[in-house]
Amino acid sequence: SGSHGTGIPRANLQGVRNALKHVCLAGRVNERELIDVCKTLAAQPNADKTKFVVLVRDANQPTYRGLYSWSSAEELTKVCGAGPRSLSPEGVSAYMKYDSGGKRFLPVGAKCF
């Protein structure tokens, strides 16, 4: 898998942009928020070396709630969005991975970050 030995998987900047554009913030109605989130994402220090996580409201309807940086194995820190300030594994009901070929999220068997 894509780990570097630190317990935090490799950076995923382009995948997150694609997930936002094609699923979470797709369509003209979300265009302004998509632009704002992508600008915030690009402005993050070491964005090309950071693992980001997108919080969605529901696994079946992955509506954007927030963008988080993976700062440690136990907690995610909010970069922007309406979600909580930080996320811990207890606050997550399902883990999904963005499938860029299918432009959709697929469930993964993970129980923690």
Side-chain angles (χ1 to χ4, degrees), residues 4 6 14 28 55 61 70 82 106:
H4 290 294
T6 61
Q14 192 57 49
R28 198 153 183 78
L55 176 67
Q61 295 271 312
W70 194 333
L106 299 173

Side-chain angles (χ1 to χ4, degrees), residues 6-76:
T6 61
I8 299 174
R10 72 177 187 273
N12 61 344
L13 184 61
Q14 192 57 49
V16 167
R17 282 185 184 138
N18 288 339
L20 293 168
K21 179 180 178 181
H22 297 296
V23 179
C24 303
L25 290 172
R28 198 153 183 78
V29 68
N30 294 313
E31 192 172 10
R32 180 80 247 150
E33 188 170 13
L34 174 63
I35 290 167
D36 290 346
V37 173
C38 285
K39 281 181 183 175
T40 301
L41 184 61
Q44 292 304 298
N46 299 311
D48 59 335
K49 297 179 181 90
T50 302
K51 178 74 172 185
F52 292 99
V53 174
V54 178
L55 176 67
V56 296
R57 186 174 306 281
D58 180 89
N60 297 317
Q61 295 271 312
T63 304
Y64 172 80
R65 293 266 299 135
L67 179 70
Y68 292 78
S69 66
W70 194 333
S71 52
S72 77
E74 296 83 37
E75 187 175 86
L76 304 179

Side-chain angles (χ1 to χ4, degrees), residues 3 6 16 38-39 42 53 65 70 72 75 77 80 85 87 93 97-98 100-101 103 108 111 113:
S3 290
T6 61
V16 167
C38 285
K39 281 181 183 175
V53 174
R65 293 266 299 135
W70 194 333
S72 77
E75 187 175 86
T77 304
C80 62
R85 182 179 306 156
L87 282 178
S93 61
K97 179 179 181 175
Y98 181 67
S100 58
K103 293 187 170 100
V108 294
K111 299 273 188 254
F113 307 127

